Amino acid sequence: MVHLSLLSATAGLLAAASSLVGATPVPSHQNEQPRAHIIPFVSKHAAARRSENYSSADVVKRDLDRIQRRNQVADSMKRSGAEKFHMKRLAAALEPYDINTLRKARTKRQSYAADPLVNSGDALYYGNINIGTPAQVTTIDFDTGSSDLIVPSVDCANCTGPFFDPSKSTSFVTTNQPFATAFGDGSTANGVLSTETVSIGSIGIQNQPFAVITQASVGFDGPNAGLMGLAFPTIAQTGATPWFMNLANQGALASNVVSFYLSRQGADGSELCVGCIDSTKFTGEPEYFPLTPGNSSQMYWDIVTQGFTYNNNLVTQPMTATIDSGTSRIYLPPSQAAALYATIPGAQAAADGTHFTFPCANAGSIGAIGMAFSPNTVFNINPNQFVGVFDEASGLCAGAVLSSGNEDGKALVGDAFMSSYYSIFDYGNMRIGFAQAV
């Protein structure tokens, strides 16, 4: 995170953000940008865990499918008129609860849980949930870009385990209402809407609606078994309030936040904190930014960015940024991605229409790539998370910022950014916070 003064900008950008005013001096260690270390975007051990053919191209394809699916869901919600959710007035709109302080939760009912996450090659992060009575453990991708809880049953042939066995739970109730979802790559998943007791650590909720998947096409797989959406009810295909927001609405959390620490380069230590933050995972104080639109029509965890920066100078137009833990890379409208890469020596659009490539020999000389979320602060991306090998034979590398293919004024900001910054999704105050990750 860098506080700065904007020295130069185009006339168009001056209209949007005429200057970035220096707030405080920048500590010297924050000014020193580490040199880029060229690594594959997906490590070999992660590839072996998922499938023999899992590659960087698979990761990008999955991300692009998510973009397509996100647009389809948003369009569907607008057509149906189901654009609003009931915003419960939360009595506990407090500052996030730090698990490293001595402050106790306000009541015995209020709690929190820190859930370790597995880093799958910096491309996917997943952890455990307990479901059923007695509890069965399954693995989940905690996704701030969707709103449904989807868990594969023991009968699902093309799914990944650990599976949930409804016959072994005394709290399972099925509605017999069919559930079906499809993805941009053509893969599908079908099942039934049900309710069940779902918990992480010591916090849980009874009768949580979810989709138990009984049939899936080939391609509906991954290192994790299921998906827990942490976005807003307006986009829930199940029509249910997401698990985390159910807990918050019932006053069960020490603070109404969910936060992520995503490790880098396959390291251990990634963590999801439900109802809490973990100050051992970041340095300095978090800086918060309000959600847009910030009302009952909220669908995603969206905030406004003044634009992307190169060496702390704005080089793109302002955009709406969706902070999405379920997306691996960062996706910009084609014109904005091109504007960013125009600052990088030797960069050009790849034939796939999505990546931008540059000679790996130039990687060490690339300046700081970042995002501005306020008029005075730039959040630079760790260089190790930006550069990856694209074509080893030709000596080409690619950046973690890609073209979304849509000139919609929206940026989809995934793990390539979140791994540089501890990310706090504050439902109680309708905002997102970032602090420098350790």
Side-chain angles (χ1 to χ4, degrees):
M1 181 168 47
V2 178
H3 296 273
L4 61 134
S5 295
L6 181 63
L7 302 179
S8 62
T10 64
L13 290 174
L14 283 170
S18 58
S19 65
L20 298 178
V21 181
T24 57
V26 183
S28 60
H29 70 274
Q30 289 187 5
N31 263 333
E32 296 170 359
Q33 289 293 326
R35 295 177 65 84
H37 172 57
I38 302 172
I39 57 172
F41 280 130
V42 179
S43 66
K44 291 182 179 179
H45 72 275
R49 274 205 305 270
R50 183 171 175 122
S51 72
E52 293 180 358
N53 298 319
Y54 189 62
S55 65
S56 179
D58 294 328
V59 173
V60 172
K61 187 174 186 298
R62 185 194 71 172
D63 286 349
L64 292 174
D65 292 340
R66 286 176 60 83
I67 293 173
Q68 181 178 341
R69 184 59 179 163
R70 181 186 67 170
N71 293 338
Q72 290 172 345
V73 169
D75 289 344
S76 175
M77 293 299 173
K78 290 178 181 178
R79 287 194 302 270
S80 68
E83 298 182 65
K84 298 183 183 296
F85 69 98
H86 175 64
M87 290 185 68
K88 184 179 178 68
R89 189 173 184 85
L90 300 173
L94 304 173
E95 288 301 302
Y97 177 81
D98 184 357
I99 62 175
N100 299 290
T101 69
L102 296 178
R103 180 172 69 86
K104 294 182 179 180
R106 292 178 301 123
T107 73
K108 291 183 178 180
R109 290 185 62 243
Q110 295 172 332
S111 189
Y112 64 88
D115 192 18
L117 302 179
V118 175
N119 178 343
S120 183
D122 291 5
L124 183 75
Y125 298 79
Y126 62 94
N128 293 340
I129 66 167
N130 300 317
I131 184 167
T133 307
Q136 302 174 42
V137 178
T138 189
T139 54
I140 290 291
D141 177 8
F142 298 98
D143 178 20
T144 61
S146 67
S147 298
D148 294 300
L149 176 58
I150 300 175
V151 178
S153 78
V154 70
D155 300 320
C156 189
N158 291 318
C159 296
T160 299
F163 300 106
F164 170 60
D165 188 345
S167 68
K168 294 182 178 179
S169 173
T170 59
S171 51
F172 176 78
V173 177
T174 180
T175 66
N176 291 317
Q177 181 180 344
F179 173 86
T181 188
F183 300 90
D185 62 353
S187 62
T188 60
N190 299 277
V192 293
L193 297 181
S194 307
T195 63
E196 186 55 282
T197 299
V198 179
S199 63
I200 297 176
S202 62
I203 57 174
I205 196 165
Q206 297 177 342
N207 303 315
Q208 173 64 42
F210 77 111
V212 55
I213 301 303
T214 56
Q215 184 179 14
S217 64
V218 175
F220 185 79
D221 60 357
N224 57 291
L227 180 77
M228 177 181 278
L230 299 171
F232 291 82
T234 41
I235 60 167
Q237 293 179 270
T238 58
T241 299
W243 177 82
F244 157 64
M245 292 181 183
N246 256 339
L247 286 167
N249 291 343
Q250 294 182 17
L253 298 175
S255 57
N256 294 320
V257 304
V258 59
S259 56
F260 287 84
Y261 170 71
L262 305 182
S263 64
R264 299 179 292 276
Q265 295 181 257
D268 295 332
S270 296
E271 181 184 80
L272 171 77
C273 212
V274 181
C276 53
I277 61 174
D278 183 350
S279 59
T280 66
K281 302 294 188 181
F282 62 86
T283 61
E285 292 295 324
E287 187 169 353
Y288 291 92
F289 307 96
L291 296 185
T292 180
N295 56 34
S296 60
S297 66
Q298 197 77 38
M299 294 191 290
Y300 298 97
W301 289 93
D302 290 344
I303 55 178
V304 173
T305 172
Q306 277 68 41
F308 274 69
T309 60
Y310 185 80
N311 283 337
N312 302 329
N313 292 319
L314 283 167
V315 294
T316 75
Q317 296 291 330
M319 289 168 276
T320 296
T322 299
I323 312 302
D324 183 359
S325 63
T327 294
S328 299
R329 307 283 189 264
I330 300 167
Y331 295 83
L332 305 185
S335 62
Q336 302 310 300
L340 174 63
Y341 281 99
T343 65
I344 297 178
Q348 59 183 357
D352 63 9
T354 302
H355 288 88
F356 286 79
T357 64
F358 44 85
C360 292
N362 294 352
S365 63
I366 294 175
I369 307 292
M371 299 179 70
F373 291 114
S374 71
N376 65 342
T377 310
V378 165
F379 293 82
N380 285 320
I381 301 168
N382 188 297
N384 290 337
Q385 303 305 105
F386 180 76
V387 179
V389 175
F390 182 77
D391 186 340
E392 189 171 3
S394 60
L396 287 178
C397 282
V401 176
L402 289 77
S403 168
S404 67
N406 301 304
E407 291 291 353
D408 54 6
K410 297 178 180 179
L412 186 63
V413 181
D415 301 340
F417 175 84
M418 288 179 61
S419 57
S420 295
Y421 294 95
Y422 193 86
S423 302
I424 305 164
F425 298 81
D426 188 342
Y427 175 53
N429 294 291
M430 294 293 279
R431 62 183 183 172
I432 299 176
F434 300 114
Q436 185 74 55
V438 296

